[in-house]
Amino acid sequence: MIKLKSPREISQMRLAGKITAAARALAGRMVTPGVTTGEIDKAVHDFIVSQGAVPTFLGYGGFPNSICASVNECVIHGIPNFKYKLQEGDILSVDVGATYQGYVGDCAATFAVGKISDEARRLIDVTRQSFYEGIKFAREGYRVSDLSHAIQEYVESNGFSVVREYVGHGVGAEMHEEPEVPNYGKAGHGPRFKQGMVIAVEPMVNAGGAAIKVLDDGWGVVTRDGKPAAHYENTLVITDGEPEILTVCEDMC
Ligand code: MG
């Protein structure tokens, strides 16, 4: 069942979203050659706690950290560590969630480590833009797959591919609520968007083929062909007009 949020709940979710977006921005500012994803995770964790919020990912399904840190060919769900130092030319996807007074914010972005290749920059930019292409349809009168289709079209017209196995989702008191929000599919299917629906839209885009596999650690999802991947996500609410992005902060990623 899709839970529509009341204006009171949405104002609560704005607070959660703001903290989550600030956590993402903090992670982004830390991304530089030589830093470890473990250090970024710790800083983000401490920031979320300092805001009176709870890191949503920590312990979720047994996940051991507060951010997902996915380097290069890792698409999503990478486990942070203190061993690998980020290198010039890497790209790092950071996904973070914060729960504040019972409501969740969820967002992600891919960051460049120092100077990156033109292709990697294009991958990051296309992934981010595909989110904005998709949410043109995140309004009353459209169905979920209208958004899904727009993301797929934009990504594929730029020569990249969309991951199928993982999708966006409703957000509320739980991180994962109904409906599922795929990043691919034919237009005109799925639930209709209604005012008060809160969803996380999160294109996961591979530079090469769409195929992925899960690492032996049970979490990290990597591209099968070893080519890089990017991720971009915001939590947003359907209104009577343009969608309102809830995971915003002053230095929006
Ligand atoms: Mg999500």
Side-chain angles (χ1 to χ4, degrees):
M1 195 190 66
I2 297 172
K3 293 178 193 153
L4 300 180
K5 274 68 180 181
S6 68
R8 192 196 64 81
E9 288 178 294
I10 290 164
S11 48
Q12 286 294 114
M13 294 195 74
R14 261 184 214 112
L15 302 176
K18 205 169 174 184
I19 294 167
T20 314
R24 172 178 58 183
L26 168 65
R29 288 194 300 274
M30 289 183 72
V31 173
T32 190
V35 77
T36 64
T37 52
E39 291 169 283
I40 298 172
D41 173 66
K42 183 172 187 325
V44 168
H45 173 274
D46 292 350
F47 170 74
I48 291 172
V49 171
S50 79
Q51 299 301 299
V54 175
T56 315
F57 294 4
L58 185 59
Y60 188 92
F63 190 74
N65 291 84
S66 298
I67 65 167
C68 298
S70 306
V71 180
N72 294 337
E73 75 281 4
C74 190
V75 188
I76 49 167
H77 300 169
I79 297 178
N81 69 77
F82 288 95
K83 284 184 203 139
Y84 179 74
K85 291 180 165 42
L86 293 174
Q87 291 182 17
E88 181 103 14
D90 284 343
I91 60 173
L92 171 67
S93 300
V94 174
D95 194 348
V96 59
T99 306
Y100 185 70
Q101 295 182 355
Y103 289 94
V104 175
D106 187 6
C107 66
T110 302
F111 301 100
V113 184
K115 189 170 165 30
I116 58 171
S117 68
D118 291 348
E119 180 74 347
R121 170 46 61 193
R122 205 170 67 82
L123 175 67
I124 290 174
D125 292 346
V126 166
T127 304
R128 187 175 192 282
Q129 186 58 33
S130 73
F131 166 88
Y132 289 99
E133 295 298 322
I135 68 165
K136 290 175 181 170
F137 297 89
R139 46 199 303 164
E140 287 197 316
Y142 292 108
R143 290 174 180 261
V144 167
S145 87
D146 296 326
L147 177 156
S148 311
H149 182 70
I151 291 175
Q152 181 181 15
E153 280 278 301
Y154 184 77
V155 168
E156 292 182 354
S157 70
N158 278 281
F160 298 137
S161 59
V162 165
V163 171
R164 306 301 204 260
E165 291 84 348
Y166 300 86
V167 296
H169 48 90
V171 188
E174 302 293 329
M175 178 159 57
H176 293 122
E177 296 187 352
E178 288 182 40
E180 288 197 337
V181 183
N183 300 303
Y184 66 95
K186 277 190 188 150
H189 297 272
R192 289 182 190 281
F193 287 119
K194 284 204 180 80
Q195 200 172 335
M197 271 173 74
V198 179
I199 56 173
V201 176
E202 50 174 322
M204 289 151 259
V205 176
N206 294 351
I212 50 96
K213 63 180 178 186
V214 179
L215 294 176
D216 289 343
D217 66 18
W219 284 103
V221 174
V222 298
T223 58
R224 275 200 181 264
D225 59 16
K227 293 193 174 160
H231 185 201
Y232 188 73
E233 175 181 29
N234 283 303
T235 301
L236 55 93
V237 57
I238 308 301
T239 72
D240 57 358
E242 303 252 311
E244 178 189 344
I245 296 177
L246 299 176
T247 42
V248 283
C249 67
E250 277 122 52
D251 43 357
M252 179 75 174
C253 301

